């Protein structure tokens, strides 16, 4: 399992597979939340995650595929697109300088 200090996070990628639009909405929400910390947020299909991502967020069912694509990157799985505790942990690590693992 990889880890990163929150202060080192500059690019978060929300990875998806289904194409239902929920991950795009999440990306927009996180852009608003994380931009105040100088973090960019992008959306990407799970099979095309950019190599320069610091943290990847994806549904738990996609975590293995994401880790194969970017094996040295922190990959954080979540279950709900709204209000999942993973998003609060990400913001807290960035804001407070804690360690994020995934």
């Amino acid at each position: 399992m990889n880890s990163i200090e929150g202060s080192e996070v500059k690019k978060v990628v929300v990875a998806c597979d289904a194409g239902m639009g929920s991950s795009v909405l999440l990306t927009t929400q996180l852009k608003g939340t994380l931009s105040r910390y100088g973090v960019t947020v992008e959306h990407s299909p799970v099979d095309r995650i950019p190599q320069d991502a610091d943290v990847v967020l994806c549904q738990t069912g996609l975590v293995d595929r994401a880790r194969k694509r970017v094996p040295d990157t922190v990959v954080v799985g979540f279950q709900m697109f709204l209000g999942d505790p993973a998003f609060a942990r990400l913001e807290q690590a960035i804001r407070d300088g804690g360690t994020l693992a995934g």
Side-chain angles (χ1 to χ4, degrees):
M1 186 175 289
N2 297 317
S3 64
I4 188 170
E5 290 300 313
S7 60
E8 296 175 9
V9 176
K10 300 299 176 208
K11 183 176 182 177
V12 173
V13 174
V14 178
C16 73
D17 190 37
M20 301 293 289
S22 300
S23 57
V24 174
L25 293 173
L26 174 60
T27 301
T28 301
Q29 178 186 4
L30 290 174
K31 280 181 183 180
T33 302
L34 300 180
S35 65
R36 69 186 85 176
Y37 308 112
V39 176
T40 61
V41 182
E42 295 180 6
H43 180 264
S44 173
V46 71
D47 295 323
R48 293 192 301 236
I49 299 168
Q51 296 295 317
D52 64 343
D54 296 312
V55 175
V56 174
L57 295 172
C58 61
Q59 285 187 293
T60 54
L62 299 175
V63 167
D64 289 340
R65 286 175 57 194
R67 286 187 176 140
K68 285 180 185 174
R69 171 74 179 147
V70 286
D72 297 326
T73 302
V74 173
V75 177
V76 177
F78 63 87
Q79 293 184 16
M80 302 174 292
F81 280 97
L82 295 175
D84 196 282
F87 311 139
R89 283 194 310 272
L90 172 64
E91 182 180 7
Q92 182 179 5
I94 292 169
R95 181 187 64 230
D96 300 338
T99 300
L100 187 67

